[in-house]
Amino acid sequence: MSVNDCAEIVRSGDPDRFLAAMAAPPAARGVLFPVYALNVEAARAPWVTAEPMIAEIRLQFWRDALDEIADGKDPRRHEVIEPLSEVIDAEGARLLDLAVAARRWEIAREPFAGVAPLRGHLWDLAGGLMWAAARALGAKDEDAVRGTGYAGGLAGWLVAVPELTARGLAPLPDDSDAGIRALAEEGLDHLRPVSRPARPAALAAWEAAPVLKAARRRPALVREGGLVRAPFARRARLIRMALL
């Protein structure tokens, strides 16, 4: 069981984060791939069954494994858990537990009761995931990293609105033009430079700025599924950010 197994999970389940990790220095990939693989596995849990109780049990498996890491116990034998236990500490496990727990929203499938619950959901999920990865790489600038992760998560959320809606979810508490513009503006306000150790993790938000700017300029693109940019433009931006 190795980082290569985790990389394959990310490649098949989260192509954008796979590309971001591959654009990072090789030494950082050993941290990024186990963290991102856990996220892929947790993201699958709410959708492998229509039975909420079974989905909760699947999520609980990952939460129990993270609790074991946090408590310093020997990790359970698993292609993701073993490599992950080698790169995160107790605090990292607790951060990832919050990110996994956020997936319960997809099981409950209840609308957000306002912008604040949506913000909290993405802060724990995308912001917490990026901070857990960056912290494992030696970063100390939590506010900047979490903010960047939140912005990246919000951008991905807005791109996914049509798909989430088709799955029976209510992803936006206010899908009016004004509501979408306000969300996009807030996301852009959270984007900021991060420290050098955090940069490999921050590459996961490489599309945040152009996507959020497009949503702010033309909110209808969110509802129409028109935020996805051309592959060439997306990869060119990732390469530029990795080089810089």
Side-chain angles (χ1 to χ4, degrees), residues 29 31 37 60 67 71-72 80 86 91 119 133 136 153 158 172 188 201 207 219-220 229 233 237:
R29 297 173 199 164
V31 171
Q60 193 60 45
D67 281 345
D71 291 340
V80 172
E86 296 175 1
E91 178 60 23
R119 185 185 299 117
L158 294 178
L172 296 177
L188 287 167
E207 276 287 271
R229 302 202 312 142
R237 178 175 175 79

Side-chain angles (χ1 to χ4, degrees), residues 155-165 171 222 227:
W157 192 263
L158 294 178
V159 169
V161 160
E163 179 185 354
L164 293 171
T165 302
V222 174
L227 284 181

Side-chain angles (χ1 to χ4, degrees), residues 167-193:
R167 291 187 173 196
L169 302 176
L172 296 177
D174 179 3
D175 65 351
S176 67
D177 283 4
I180 292 171
R181 281 198 180 97
L183 271 177
E185 188 67 47
E186 182 191 21
L188 287 167
D189 287 344
H190 277 87
L191 279 175
R192 65 196 72 176

Side-chain angles (χ1 to χ4, degrees), residues 66-153:
L66 290 168
D67 281 345
E68 291 167 3
I69 294 174
D71 291 340
K73 298 178 181 178
D74 290 337
R76 59 186 66 188
R77 189 163 174 77
H78 188 278
E79 62 185 349
V80 172
I81 299 303
E82 288 184 278
L84 183 66
S85 70
E86 296 175 1
V87 298
I88 64 168
D89 59 9
E91 178 60 23
R94 284 188 280 269
L95 288 167
L96 291 176
D97 178 65
L98 289 175
V100 172
R103 297 288 180 183
R104 298 184 67 193
W105 175 80
E106 297 167 52
I107 299 174
R109 307 188 184 188
E110 296 178 354
F112 292 106
V115 174
L118 171 60
R119 185 185 299 117
H121 178 76
L122 294 175
W123 194 258
D124 285 342
L125 184 56
L129 184 73
M130 184 173 288
W131 174 231
R135 186 176 173 280
L137 290 168
K140 306 294 185 184
D141 47 334
E142 180 176 358
D143 288 346
V145 174
R146 272 191 180 271
T148 299
Y150 170 79

Side-chain angles (χ1 to χ4, degrees), residues 49-57 107-108:
T49 174
E51 176 54 53
M53 184 60 70
I54 297 176
E56 288 277 6
I57 291 171
I107 299 174

